[in-house]
Amino acid sequence: MTSPECRDDGIDPRFTFDYQAYDEDLDPDQRWSTWLEVDPLQRGPQPRPDWVVTSQGAIDTDLGILKTGKEADVFLLERADPHDPRQQVVMAAKRYRDPDHRSFHRSATYTEGRSMKRSRDERALKRKSSWGRVVAAGEWAISEWGMLTRFWELGLPVPYPVQVDGTEILMEWIQVEGQTAPRLAQTRPDRDLLEHYFEQVRQALVDMVRAGVVHGDLSAYNILAAGERLVVIDLPQVVDLAGNLQAHDFLLRDCTNVCRWFAGRGLQVDEQELFGELVAQAW
């Protein structure tokens, strides 16, 4: 057997390889991708969309804030591998506020029927202690992550959940021609599109109750209009239809909120009729 010729420097070419150095100095608004730092269960469901960036050499860059809220702020975040132009995507990053800068206005009625793994955390929540507030911030993030994942797997119209890390959820950025999709409340659809929109909302509500849950805070302000497609957002307060004593009250409120918006734009819809249909679907 003939040995391969050595290079001029005496190194056997069989023991050499090409590589790219990832030694970039990161800016203050950048970090290395956290994709591989989180547990596999904290990553989005399979099959993943082909736009999800999984490169270990990717860099996360904050692009600015999209929305502020009492519990969380939503930012635009780019995840890109500087050495692979195919590995690049802009996502929405929802970050729940820390205990010192967060106003917990979510009522305890939303969490009725939920259980926590650690009794210590549950006691801290009930006492509203400092640790309880820390736990609560993570609880809402985990709750929303769980619902996003579950809804996506059921085929409901929600953003694809990319990953959750502590109090931050990365998810699909719903956009139209490079701009954030408007809330349904900001749109003025014609009659045909209005009817098409309502049917999408009705079907989403039907699918939710069939899955045994209620959105709990549905309105034209947390539904995005991506062209002719609607996408439901803001899911941390989703309640269990069987385990929460006020679930039917939340369901009726959801029906009232959406029906009044559509009725205000000339569509003949009735919240009681929709509520009755959904209750029938739930059993």
Side-chain angles (χ1 to χ4, degrees), residues 170-184:
L170 299 184
M171 66 186 82
E172 177 186 4
W173 174 41
I174 306 301
Q175 51 90 22
V176 180
E177 298 180 351
Q179 299 295 319
T180 302
R183 300 178 187 182
L184 180 60

Side-chain angles (χ1 to χ4, degrees), residues 219-272:
S219 75
Y221 291 94
N222 48 31
I223 300 173
L224 300 180
E228 296 187 354
R229 177 175 69 105
L230 296 185
V231 180
V232 177
I233 60 173
D234 292 337
L235 306 176
Q237 72 292 315
V238 171
V239 299
D240 185 84
L241 191 56
N244 191 300
L245 295 177
Q246 300 190 52
H248 282 75
D249 294 333
F250 289 129
L251 180 59
L252 178 57
R253 188 176 67 183
D254 286 353
C255 293
T256 300
N257 287 339
V258 297
C259 284
R260 286 183 178 176
W261 186 86
F262 281 98
R265 276 140 189 84
L267 196 64
Q268 297 301 311
V269 292
D270 181 79
E271 60 263 29
Q272 292 293 339

Side-chain angles (χ1 to χ4, degrees), residues 159-200:
Y160 177 77
V162 176
Q163 69 174 71
V164 61
D165 184 12
T167 58
E168 178 188 72
I169 303 173
L170 299 184
M171 66 186 82
E172 177 186 4
W173 174 41
I174 306 301
Q175 51 90 22
V176 180
E177 298 180 351
Q179 299 295 319
T180 302
R183 300 178 187 182
L184 180 60
Q186 298 172 306
T187 66
R188 294 295 181 267
D190 60 28
R191 178 75 182 192
D192 289 343
L193 185 55
L194 191 69
E195 292 177 352
H196 181 55
Y197 278 169
F198 180 75
E199 178 55 29
Q200 290 182 64

